Every structure is written in C-alpha cells, then in structure tokens.
C-alpha cells in the first residue's frame, strides 16, 4: 500500500477520505499479508505534518500513533532490502534508463516489490503505471 492511500485515510477533508479510511481499516484487520515500506511510512509522516499539505497538520505524536496502529496489524509486512537488492535495482535501471528525479522514491518502492515478488500496488499515484512488472490498483475502484 502506498503513501497516498494512508494520507487520504488520515485527511478528513479529502474527497477520497471515506473510501481510503474504510480500506485501510479493513486491511488492518487482515490476517493475510499486505505490504508497505519504511520509506512510505516516513513519507506519510512528512506529508501529514506539513502545513502546506494538511489544512490542520498533524503533530509528530499523532502521525506516529497512526503508524503504530498500522504496525499492529496482524498481516502487515514491511518490505526491506535483501542481498539481491543491488541486482534487482540494476535490472530495473537497465530496463528503464529514463527514470530520474522525483520518481525515484516510487522506483525504490517498485524495486522492493519486484525483489519480494509482490506484483500489485494499491495507490492513486499514476507514476506506478510506468513499471511494466506492477499491477496498479486504484483504491477508489476496489
């Protein structure tokens, strides 16, 4: 699950709030594995506490409480780099030499997913469509 789903679940003024909150809460109860990454969780903290993004920015303790609730989910698994990470990264960069700039945060997520054999990402971020090895699922269409 990508950052924007967590952001929409947290930001009550967002038009996507109700659906994303419902989705996140359902996934929190799942026993089956679902995945995110530490960089995604830190990005959630960066955005949710930013006064130019949230109308009423969260405090760090509130953002951390949200993350702790996610981490308590029985099925949540955090994708981390393995010994194969450099080889998978080199493969993706060779296949997609046009990658650059701000998309590199998403590249890291895509590489971790490929490294762990995860093929489906739940996100509203259209940048993930550029990765042919991922299936992008819009949470508003689930």
């Amino acid at each position: 699950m990508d950052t924007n789903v967590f952001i929409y679940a947290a930001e009550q003024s967002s038009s996507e709030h109700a659906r994303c909150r419902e989705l996140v809460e359902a996934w929190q109860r799942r026993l089956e594995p679902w995945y995110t990454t530490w960089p995604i969780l830190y990005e959630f903290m960066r955005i949710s506490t930013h006064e130019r993004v949230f109308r009423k920015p969260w405090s760090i303790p509130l953002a951390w409480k949200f993350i702790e609730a996610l981490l308590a989910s029985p099925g949540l698994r955090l994708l981390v780099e393995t010994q194969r990470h450099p080889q998978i990264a080199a493969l993706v960069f060779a296949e997609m030499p046009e990658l650059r700039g701000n998309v590199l945060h998403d590249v890291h997520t895509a590489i971790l997913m490929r490294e762990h054999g995860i093929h489906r990402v739940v996100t509203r971020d259209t940048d993930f469509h550029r990765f042919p090895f991922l299936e992008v699922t819009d949470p508003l269409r689930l």
Side-chain angles (χ1 to χ4, degrees):
M1 191 168 294
D2 193 24
T3 310
N4 57 56
V5 180
F6 297 137
I7 292 296
Y8 295 138
E11 178 53 77
Q12 293 180 355
S13 67
S14 165
S15 61
E16 296 91 345
H17 171 71
R19 178 64 187 125
C20 288
R21 180 178 174 154
E22 174 185 299
L23 178 66
V24 168
E25 288 175 350
W27 284 51
Q28 283 180 281
R29 294 186 298 271
R30 285 174 55 131
L31 297 178
E32 301 84 20
W34 62 285
Y35 306 90
T36 196
T37 68
W38 276 112
I40 286 171
L41 297 177
Y42 278 103
E43 185 177 45
F44 169 83
M45 290 186 67
R46 179 183 64 81
I47 294 169
S48 66
T49 62
H50 198 293
E51 64 279 349
R52 291 187 184 161
V53 179
F54 268 34
R55 206 166 6 147
K56 293 182 180 177
W58 286 18
S59 65
I60 287 292
L62 183 58
W64 185 248
K65 185 176 178 181
F66 183 92
I67 289 174
E68 285 182 320
L70 294 174
L71 294 173
S73 305
L76 179 63
R77 306 292 182 267
L78 294 172
L79 300 178
V80 297
E81 295 83 357
T82 69
Q83 294 294 323
R84 296 182 34 225
H85 192 79
Q87 291 80 22
I88 303 299
L91 178 64
V92 170
F93 295 139
E95 291 171 352
M96 306 178 76
E98 72 283 359
L99 296 170
R100 61 184 38 84
N102 288 341
V103 76
L104 288 175
H105 174 77
D106 295 337
V107 171
H108 182 219
T109 301
I111 289 169
L112 284 170
M113 291 177 68
R114 191 169 188 178
E115 186 174 351
H116 289 275
I118 309 300
H119 303 285
R120 181 174 162 233
V121 60
V122 178
T123 185
R124 300 223 64 215
D125 185 341
T126 58
D127 283 334
F128 280 97
H129 288 282
R130 72 179 64 214
F131 303 106
F133 52 88
L134 293 181
E135 171 194 342
V136 179
T137 302
D138 185 328
L140 301 184
R141 296 195 174 128
L142 281 177

